[in-house]
Amino acid sequence: MRPELVERREELADHTTLRVGGPARRMITAETEADLIDVVRDLDAAGEPLLILGGGSNVLIGDAGFDGTVIKIATRGVAEDTAACSGAVITVAAGEVWDPLVSYSIERGWSGLEAMSGVPGLIGASPIQNVGAYGAEVSELISMVRTLDRSTGQVKTLFPVECDFGYRTSRFKSDPGRFLVLSVTFQLRLGSMSQPIRYPELARALGAEVGERVPATEVRQAVLALRTAKGMVLAEDDHDTWSVGSFFTNPIIAPERALDLPAGAPGFPQPNGTIKTSAAWLIEQAGFGKGYGNGSARLSNKHTLALTNRGGATAADLLRLAREIRAGVEAKFGVELVPEPVLVGCEL
Ligand SMILES: Cc1cc2nc3c(=O)[nH]c(=O)nc-3n(C[C@H](O)[C@H](O)[C@H](O)COP(=O)(O)OP(=O)(O)OC[C@H]3O[C@@H](n4cnc5c(N)ncnc54)[C@H](O)[C@@H]3O)c2cc1C
């Protein structure tokens, strides 16, 4: 292993937005792609358990920590090709931070990412759960994902058709650990106007109609304001943001099951005939309002879908709360909530 790589024992709570997670045996920070590939190949060959960590904003790590090596992704670089007649094609290193890229793309007059302003985390994790917000999903803009396929040790480029993207899922999430994402190539449209607004709440905030385009800068500002009001933009001093964002995905249910839900339950028909309902609505209607809980793990005061650490919570505290909410929703509506974050060394 290269001696200059930073290597140390670390408390993982210091590397997650929930501020929970026990120690890792060691952590290595890889700042170049060559180092990243070398280190992962070497450790895989040695049979060492590995955890790839980006911004730690979509993981719940158990209190016992991780008995292996954590690789912290810190690679940098953006390569742009705007001469292409197909728009702006930008290839971004896995370690670049998501939101500054969104801001930069808008400044450069490239549209497509604006509705996903304010999402925490790094670029390399964006394809893992197919990041999405306000009706947009990153998979619509990805043209390639360059990976290290750890099953062969070879670098492999995957095209969207090979990524099995779905609502908050992908091949990377369903086959965890196999692919290390090295960089993501996005194909953005040229122009300062946004993509058509899809989400009624966002349209209302903009004074626009669903389907309209408005300046992308305005979409960014409106999204950041809406997200901030919901505790969905990270802020060190705001415990409502000490979370993983939404803790549960919105359930996708068969149409006949949807009929069993009370009148007023949100239901969004999906292309395959299923119905997506709202986890936040189910949680609230099952009696778990904003701020629910009485210890240091509680629902956010701003959004019922976020489980938060009010300071000093453990993974066990958060799991206890998550189980209580899941059981309450199941007992009342017969719908099983599925966690959105990746659980490491713990289970629900
Ligand atoms: C306040 C808040 C709001 C949020 N809002 C949203 C939202 O609106 N929409 C949304 O989709 N998500 C949202 N999230 C969740 C989260 O921000 C995203 O899922 C983000 O993409 C995670 O990035 P990360 O770098 O923090 O990933 P991490 O949490 O570090 O990792 C998540 C998973 O991806 C794996 N991984 C990370 N990097 C790589 C890589 N390079 N190669 C292979 N595997 C990798 C990890 O091993 C882990 O399994 C929110 C989270 C918070 C805290």
Side-chain angles (χ1 to χ4, degrees):
M1 190 170 305
R2 303 262 301 276
E4 67 269 30
L5 295 177
V6 183
E7 183 184 333
R8 53 187 188 268
R9 186 183 157 85
E10 280 283 337
E11 286 299 321
L12 293 175
D14 296 337
H15 297 271
T16 66
T17 52
L18 269 171
R19 277 84 164 170
V20 304
R25 191 139 45 77
R26 69 176 166 177
M27 176 177 281
I28 295 174
T29 301
E31 294 182 355
T32 70
E33 189 181 289
D35 283 346
L36 182 56
I37 292 174
D38 282 355
V39 164
V40 170
R41 276 189 184 142
D42 287 354
L43 293 173
D44 279 346
E48 168 77 354
L50 283 192
L51 171 64
I52 310 294
L53 202 57
S57 64
N58 210 26
V59 284
L60 172 53
I61 300 175
D63 298 314
F66 184 72
D67 188 17
T69 300
V70 173
I71 309 281
K72 196 96 200 270
I73 311 275
T75 53
R76 291 283 183 270
V78 181
E80 309 173 8
D81 178 5
T82 46
C85 56
S86 46
V89 177
I90 54 172
T91 298
V92 189
E96 290 283 345
V97 182
W98 173 263
D99 192 53
L101 181 81
V102 177
S103 168
Y104 177 71
S105 70
I106 295 170
E107 273 165 34
R108 299 280 277 133
W110 304 333
S111 86
L113 298 175
E114 58 280 351
M116 293 177 278
S117 293
V119 174
L122 306 187
I123 294 294
S126 63
I128 307 292
Q129 76 151 2
N130 183 17
V131 157
Y134 294 97
E137 281 186 346
V138 72
S139 56
E140 299 163 3
L141 302 155
I142 288 179
S143 57
M144 279 185 282
V145 182
R146 200 159 152 275
T147 69
L148 176 72
D149 181 349
R150 293 173 56 202
S151 70
T152 61
Q154 299 300 308
V155 171
K156 182 176 166 72
T157 296
L158 297 177
F159 295 95
V161 69
E162 301 168 279
C163 296
D164 296 340
F165 285 123
Y167 164 65
R168 296 298 176 274
T169 189
S170 71
R171 181 173 180 188
F172 310 111
K173 194 166 180 181
S174 57
D175 190 1
R178 172 163 171 194
F179 295 102
L180 165 67
V181 175
L182 301 171
S183 66
V184 182
T185 303
F186 301 91
Q187 189 169 14
L188 305 177
R189 293 176 188 86
L190 301 181
S192 59
M193 296 299 272
S194 71
Q195 291 309 296
I197 307 298
R198 294 192 185 146
Y199 209 75
E201 183 191 22
L202 178 57
R204 276 194 302 279
L206 287 159
E209 298 293 324
V210 169
E212 247 184 83
R213 295 173 194 264
V214 302
T217 46
E218 289 179 20
V219 172
R220 176 168 171 79
Q221 280 159 15
V223 165
L224 288 176
L226 287 170
R227 293 184 65 98
T228 301
K230 295 176 188 174
M232 290 293 175
V233 175
L234 294 182
E236 185 67 32
D237 55 355
D238 181 357
H239 282 269
D240 286 329
T241 74
W242 290 29
S243 75
V244 286
S246 303
F247 194 88
F248 296 106
T249 55
N250 287 320
I252 310 240
I253 53 180
E256 55 276 15
R257 296 288 318 284
L259 293 174
D260 295 338
L261 294 179
F268 306 99
Q270 301 300 294
N272 64 359
T274 56
I275 305 287
K276 188 198 275 182
T277 187
S278 160
W281 189 92
L282 296 173
I283 290 170
E284 208 148 341
Q285 298 298 313
F288 306 103
K290 289 177 185 152
Y292 179 83
N294 48 22
S296 44
R298 270 184 265 156
L299 289 184
S300 159
N301 292 313
K302 302 190 179 88
H303 202 301
T304 44
L305 206 41
L307 272 67
T308 62
N309 178 356
R310 312 314 296 182
T314 60
D317 296 332
L318 286 152
L319 287 164
R320 208 171 301 117
L321 179 62
R323 284 185 200 116
E324 184 188 352
I325 289 169
R326 185 180 60 175
V329 167
E330 179 135 34
K332 178 130 190 188
F333 299 112
V335 174
E336 190 191 345
L337 293 179
V338 174
E340 185 179 297
V342 174
L343 306 186
V344 178
C346 58
E347 55 189 35
L348 198 57

